[in-house]
Each structure stands twice: as structure tokens, then as C-alpha cells.
Amino acid sequence: MNLFISIEGVDGVGKTTVAKLLAADGSFQYYKSPGGPFAQLRKEVDVRATSLERYCFYRLATQFDSMEIERLLIKDSVVCDRFIASTAAYHITMDARIRVIHNDAGLLKPHFAFLLGARSEIRDKRILERAKALSDNKLERNSAFLDRVAKTFMSFNLVYLDTSDITAEEVTTIIKQIITQGVLS
């Protein structure tokens, strides 16, 4: 059975690094959300759209991602760098009214959804150390906003791992252990 896992969390907690490490040994195929044509439009939407417009874009992108991941699962297990929980947490934090319309109906459900977190000062330091610019640059530099998003994430039913004081390799090992225990039980 091929597995679908998602790695969720705010910027600077190690999602991309951990997801790529999980895929590095061939156990998983790496998938970055939003994918396909949505990846190309993301920067423009992030800059120009209202919170509601932005949520609708990312929710539709997640629908596309769900179909793509389902197709990939025919051959491989898949680790997704952000999925529906990230869409929900960020946008509900931006505009609480989005909680009323948010749903994940019709989406592929991950076998395991991991929420990575880190203390604010560790997360903020990691973000500052990044060499590349991300599309949510304005949001990722807003520590108070990221704290609120992290709090929203905690209201979801995800497996939480604090990455503050452990390496990405250690996080990857813990995730593999959790998956193995879950699959065997």
C-alpha cells in the first residue's frame, strides 16, 4: 500500500527540508503544494488577492493537488509539502469568517498528517537565515501573525513534532518511526 503523508506548519519550522529528506531515499515521492499551474500563479495571488480570494485560490489548488497526488499514489508513496491544513490555518487566521466556508470535502485524506512547530525565536531566526525569497515574504516576516497561525494549526487533529531543538534528520527519523508503528498496528 502506498502512503500519502502531509507535512504542515508555519514558515521556518522545517517542512520542506523534512519532506525532501523523507523523499531522498526513494521511500516517498516529493510533492510541493500548490502544484501545476497554481504554482505559477501563487505570487500574483499572494500579492493582489483579498483573504477570501486567496483562500478560494488555495482551496482550488489543493483540489488539483489532491487529484495529482491520487495519480502519483498508483506507483509511489507521496510526501506533500503543505496540504489542506496549511490552507485552512493561514486563511482562517487572516479572516475568521473563512472557518465558516472551509471544508475538505472531496479531497484525498493523508494517511498521516504531521504538524511541525518551533519556538518563535527559533522559527524567526531560520526565516532570517534563508537565502531565497518566498511568495509569502511579507507574511513570513510577521512573527506575531505566524504565532497566530501556529495556534490555529494546534486546533487541528495533526501529529505534532517540535523541531526547535532537533535536527531535520532527527525529525525525519521520528516521522518514519510513527509511520511504521501506525502501518503495523
Side-chain angles (χ1 to χ4, degrees), residues 84-173:
I84 193 63
S86 289
T87 295
Y90 272 84
H91 293 92
I92 289 168
T93 303
M94 288 177 188
D95 184 340
R97 298 173 301 171
I98 290 172
R99 189 178 295 275
V100 175
I101 64 168
H102 171 70
N103 72 68
D104 60 3
L107 296 178
L108 186 65
K109 304 293 187 265
H111 294 97
F112 296 90
F114 294 94
L115 171 59
L116 305 187
R119 291 188 307 277
S120 300
E121 64 274 9
I122 301 289
R123 177 198 68 216
D124 294 349
K125 181 180 177 196
R126 290 175 182 166
I127 290 170
L128 285 174
E129 291 172 350
R130 285 190 206 181
K132 65 180 184 172
L134 299 177
S135 63
D136 283 340
N137 214 342
K138 180 175 67 174
L139 294 178
E140 80 173 25
R141 287 192 310 252
N142 184 335
S143 185
F145 174 74
L146 293 179
D147 287 342
R148 291 192 310 274
V149 174
K151 185 176 179 182
T152 302
F153 264 119
M154 294 303 282
S155 70
F156 302 157
N157 189 23
L158 306 174
V159 179
Y160 180 75
L161 298 171
D162 189 327
T163 66
S164 298
D165 300 315
I166 58 177
T167 66
E169 290 79 12
E170 290 169 316
V171 174
T172 303
T173 299

Side-chain angles (χ1 to χ4, degrees), residues 7-154:
I7 308 294
E8 309 279 1
V10 299
D11 296 303
V13 296
K15 293 177 309 300
T16 301
T17 303
V18 168
K20 287 181 176 180
L21 283 170
L22 285 165
D25 67 0
S27 299
F28 292 92
Q29 182 168 342
Y30 175 79
Y31 188 90
K32 173 76 172 167
S33 178
F38 294 92
Q40 299 164 8
L41 296 171
R42 179 179 180 193
K43 285 184 181 183
E44 185 172 338
V45 169
D46 287 351
V47 169
R48 299 182 195 284
T50 67
S51 297
L52 181 58
E53 291 166 340
R54 197 174 183 276
Y55 168 77
C56 291
F57 169 82
Y58 279 96
R59 176 58 180 84
L60 184 59
T62 306
Q63 188 72 45
F64 173 87
D65 295 335
S66 182
M67 292 184 297
E68 287 296 300
I69 291 166
E70 194 166 21
R71 187 181 58 75
L72 294 171
L73 285 170
I74 294 168
K75 292 186 178 182
D76 293 308
S77 290
V78 175
V79 57
C80 186
D81 184 348
R82 290 199 165 151
F83 197 59
I84 193 63
S86 289
T87 295
Y90 272 84
H91 293 92
I92 289 168
T93 303
M94 288 177 188
D95 184 340
R97 298 173 301 171
I98 290 172
R99 189 178 295 275
V100 175
I101 64 168
H102 171 70
N103 72 68
D104 60 3
L107 296 178
L108 186 65
K109 304 293 187 265
H111 294 97
F112 296 90
F114 294 94
L115 171 59
L116 305 187
R119 291 188 307 277
S120 300
E121 64 274 9
I122 301 289
R123 177 198 68 216
D124 294 349
K125 181 180 177 196
R126 290 175 182 166
I127 290 170
L128 285 174
E129 291 172 350
R130 285 190 206 181
K132 65 180 184 172
L134 299 177
S135 63
D136 283 340
N137 214 342
K138 180 175 67 174
L139 294 178
E140 80 173 25
R141 287 192 310 252
N142 184 335
S143 185
F145 174 74
L146 293 179
D147 287 342
R148 291 192 310 274
V149 174
K151 185 176 179 182
T152 302
F153 264 119
M154 294 303 282

